[in-house]
Amino acid sequence: MAPPSPSSAPAKKRINWLRGNNKVFDTYLSEARAALAAAAQDTDDAAAAAAALGLVTAALEMSPRAEAALELRARALLALRRYRDVADMLRDYIPSYARSCSGDDDATCASSSSSCSSASGDRDRSDACAGAARFLCCLHVSDLKRRLVASFCRSSSTEAQWRYLVLGRACFHLGLMEDAVVLLQTARRLATAAFRRESVCWSEDSFSPSNPLTANSAAASEAESVSQLLAHVKLLLRRRAAAVAALDAGLPGEAVRHFNKVLDTRRSVLPHPFATACLVGRAAAFRSAGRPADAIADCNRALALDPASIPALRARADLLESVGALPDCLRDLDHLKLLYDAALRGGKLRPQGGVQFGEIAGAHRTLTARIQLLRGRVAAGEGCGVDYYALLGVRRGCTRSELERAHLVLTLKLKPERSASFAERLELVDEHRDLEAVRDQARMSALFLYRMLQKGYSCIMSAVLDAERQRAKDAAAAIAEQEEEVATVQENATRKDGGNVVVTTKPEAIPMPRTAVAAATPLSQPFVFCRDTLLSRGGFDRPIPVKCEAMSC
């Protein structure tokens, strides 16, 4: 037997080394699948999901592009509720990534706009040149390579639907509802197509209920959960669209009703970014309905969930300025200016509803001028004149009952003890905030608003009591003046002659007070007499008629 050649020995070693690595790789993946299955059975067991993530990370060090390892890593991150990491891992598949990725300054965008004509050929022809430039300016060469590889993978027919499924769930928890709908629908469509391709070679017995491929399997349960989540997301989007349409149509009460349905949902959890946007929308509806206290309370809840929410800060600053609380409005505007400065320095903006990075520079200039104007008004002494009538939602000159009713309704709704109950139905996505911190922030904001309401109630009540006392004084003075006028008329219209009163004018022409009228009326009790004493009482020639009743002696 011939000895092995020297060149074949390293090749054999390499083959053995690869086989050993493959065995270790498969062992890591099998153990990670078992750990994820255990974590799925016990949702509170985060240790199993963390162990699975560690095993998958070790497996990815051996094979960074293994599809099975990438799937297990994404599912482990989803089980650990690290939704932002999932979105960063699969961001190339997010539909709105091109629109939300606007992170460079205007100079970079202007420099990259010269290559707009050459770059637009690789994208959709309907996109504008500025949009293409803004999209390309936030990508590096490595990002372009990754996008190119992802496009090849998407065009292949062997791609699994786990990317769309896992990313759709992560987008739901991040509050990106439109992206979640698109991704979940794509995942369900791919699963249906795969099922159809596999069922071509099946027999009729394969579709029986006892077949594990069609019933009581993990794939079937996962498909059912995807369908339920998709239906829930579509319902939330329909209700929010109905609320926005009602608000645009000038029906704030209808908008408040639809927003209440979204925020008081009981079917599933509600991610706090989506809840924050709905709270800001309901605050706008309350403001249109003339209920600024309820609108400020919703802005406080939104800022308790997300202290860096630019729409919530804008809305609360406008509300505080409308009721005359200028120092508090200045505090919110200063906070908003800090957020604008951070966005301009960092060159990017966290995705928020209705806020684009291109608007930050203009909004920053406008905000600076507004802050200077408000500081001048506060220095002139306008900061102490809070319009408590507008805050409590009562008219000027209201009665005590109207004021007490409005104050009672607002006190029962906005008392600090009930301010943190809204957070129990929400899911916090931010890893740096917990539920207790949200509750504390909500209580502090609610206590500040509650004190404003109490102060406004006391000020308006004192004004109402002063008005009531003034009205009572005016009424008493009017009665005294009327009585004095009646006495003067009687004194001028009558004269005394030998104890007999001779009326010079008609009696019905003289106004008389009630006491005089009561004294001049006939006796209410009848005069009882008998025949023997009739003549002794003066006869029947009396000027004032007397009611008489006869009685026998």
Side-chain angles (χ1 to χ4, degrees):
M1 181 176 180
S5 62
S7 60
S8 64
K12 188 176 294 185
K13 279 186 180 181
R14 185 177 180 183
I15 292 173
N16 294 332
W17 179 76
L18 289 176
R19 288 177 180 175
N21 282 346
N22 290 336
K23 289 182 180 179
V24 174
F25 182 80
D26 295 338
T27 303
Y28 284 163
L29 292 187
S30 61
E31 291 179 358
R33 288 192 185 93
L36 283 178
Q41 293 178 359
D42 188 3
T43 56
D44 296 333
D45 189 8
L53 181 61
L55 291 170
V56 172
T57 304
L60 285 173
E61 291 178 356
M62 300 180 181
S63 179
R65 302 195 177 201
E67 187 76 9
L70 290 174
E71 178 182 359
L72 290 177
R73 183 176 185 274
R75 292 185 181 276
L77 291 174
L78 189 66
L80 290 173
R81 299 181 180 179
R82 293 168 56 177
Y83 307 118
R84 298 191 188 278
D85 295 337
V86 176
D88 292 338
M89 176 183 173
L90 303 173
R91 62 177 182 174
D92 296 328
Y93 294 85
I94 300 178
S96 64
Y97 177 67
R99 297 188 298 270
S100 64
C101 188
S102 55
D104 280 4
D105 52 2
D106 298 336
T108 308
C109 292
S111 63
S112 60
S113 62
S114 60
S115 60
C116 175
S117 58
S118 60
S120 60
D122 299 333
R123 303 184 59 210
D124 190 3
R125 295 296 180 182
S126 62
D127 292 340
C129 179
R134 185 172 64 250
F135 170 63
L136 291 176
C137 69
C138 58
L139 293 178
H140 300 288
V141 178
S142 60
D143 296 330
L144 292 176
K145 289 181 179 179
R146 186 172 58 253
R147 280 185 170 276
L148 186 61
V149 172
S151 64
F152 290 155
C153 293
R154 280 196 294 268
S155 62
S156 63
S157 59
T158 59
E159 182 187 3
Q161 69 271 12
W162 67 266
R163 298 174 182 269
Y164 299 100
L165 179 62
V166 175
L167 187 57
R169 290 181 175 178
C171 287
F172 165 73
H173 292 287
L174 290 174
L176 305 175
M177 297 297 181
E178 292 83 0
D179 295 331
V181 168
V182 174
L183 292 168
L184 292 176
Q185 285 180 343
T186 305
R188 190 170 63 176
R189 178 176 56 81
L190 291 177
T192 304
F195 177 77
R196 288 175 179 174
R197 287 195 301 269
E198 293 176 0
S199 61
V200 171
C201 58
W202 289 356
S203 61
E204 295 181 358
D205 297 336
S206 301
F207 293 94
S208 61
S210 60
N211 189 7
L213 294 175
T214 58
N216 298 328
S217 62
S221 61
E222 190 174 26
E224 184 179 359
S225 65
V226 168
S227 300
Q228 293 177 357
L229 181 59
L230 184 59
H232 177 60
V233 174
K234 287 183 177 180
L235 178 63
L236 292 177
L237 289 177
R238 283 197 300 269
R239 286 177 174 174
R240 189 184 66 175
V244 173
L247 186 59
D248 294 339
L251 301 173
E254 192 72 14
V256 169
R257 186 174 68 86
H258 286 294
F259 277 123
N260 289 337
K261 287 184 178 180
V262 174
L263 295 170
D264 298 337
T265 180
R266 303 285 183 178
R267 295 182 58 183
S268 178
V269 296
L270 194 66
H272 86 265
F274 184 74
T276 302
C278 291
L279 285 171
V280 175
R282 192 171 69 175
F286 278 137
R287 184 180 182 182
S288 300
R291 298 163 60 181
D294 294 325
I296 294 174
D298 275 347
C299 291
N300 290 339
R301 297 187 185 102
L303 290 172
L305 290 173
D306 187 4
S309 176
I310 292 178
L313 278 173
R314 285 178 180 174
R316 192 171 71 172
D318 294 339
L319 287 166
L320 291 173
E321 186 179 5
S322 66
V323 299
L326 299 185
D328 303 319
C329 175
L330 273 176
R331 186 182 64 248
D332 284 346
L333 292 180
D334 289 336
H335 188 190
L336 187 60
K337 185 179 178 182
L338 291 176
L339 293 177
Y340 285 165
D341 292 338
L344 291 174
R345 284 195 305 268
K348 61 181 179 179
L349 179 69
R350 184 168 56 85
Q352 297 186 19
V355 181
Q356 300 295 332
F357 182 80
E359 304 172 357
I360 297 297
H364 186 273
R365 291 191 294 268
T366 306
L367 182 61
T368 304
R370 182 181 177 185
I371 289 175
Q372 293 178 357
L373 180 61
L374 286 179
R375 284 177 180 171
R377 292 176 60 185
V378 171
E382 299 183 15
C384 300
V386 180
D387 189 2
Y388 292 113
Y389 289 94
L391 183 63
L392 271 75
V394 295
R395 59 180 178 84
R396 294 186 180 273
C398 62
T399 61
R400 186 190 298 185
S401 60
E402 293 175 353
L403 177 61
E404 289 178 349
R405 182 179 181 276
H407 175 259
L408 179 62
V409 170
L410 290 177
T411 302
L412 292 177
K413 289 174 59 178
L414 306 178
K415 60 182 181 179
E417 290 78 9
R418 300 179 56 185
S419 60
S421 59
F422 75 99
E424 297 177 356
R425 298 184 297 272
L426 305 179
E427 180 190 18
L428 297 178
V429 181
D430 195 354
E431 297 86 1
H432 303 288
R433 292 179 62 81
D434 56 351
L435 190 59
E436 195 61 32
V438 172
R439 289 175 178 172
D440 293 340
Q441 182 66 28
R443 290 192 192 98
M444 290 176 60
S445 303
L447 183 60
F448 172 74
L449 179 60
Y450 185 79
R451 289 176 179 174
M452 285 185 63
L453 293 175
Q454 298 303 320
K455 186 177 180 180
Y457 173 73
S458 61
C459 292
I460 299 177
M461 180 57 74
S462 62
V464 168
L465 293 178
D466 292 341
E468 288 182 355
R469 284 193 291 267
Q470 187 64 33
R471 285 195 295 267
K473 289 181 181 179
D474 295 342
I479 293 175
E481 185 178 356
Q482 184 179 5
E483 291 180 353
E484 183 179 356
E485 184 180 355
V486 169
T488 303
V489 171
Q490 287 181 356
E491 183 179 357
N492 294 334
T494 61
R495 64 185 179 83
K496 295 183 180 180
D497 186 7
N500 295 325
V501 179
V502 180
V503 181
T504 58
T505 59
K506 293 183 180 181
E508 60 272 10
I510 303 175
M512 300 177 65
R514 291 185 177 181
T515 55
V517 173
T521 52
L523 295 176
S524 59
Q525 296 293 333
F527 182 73
V528 182
F529 61 94
C530 62
R531 291 191 301 270
D532 298 335
T533 58
L534 179 60
L535 298 177
S536 64
R537 304 296 276 181
F540 295 95
D541 56 349
R542 300 179 66 89
I544 301 176
V546 179
K547 184 178 180 180
C548 301
E549 290 184 3
M551 186 178 72
S552 62
C553 297

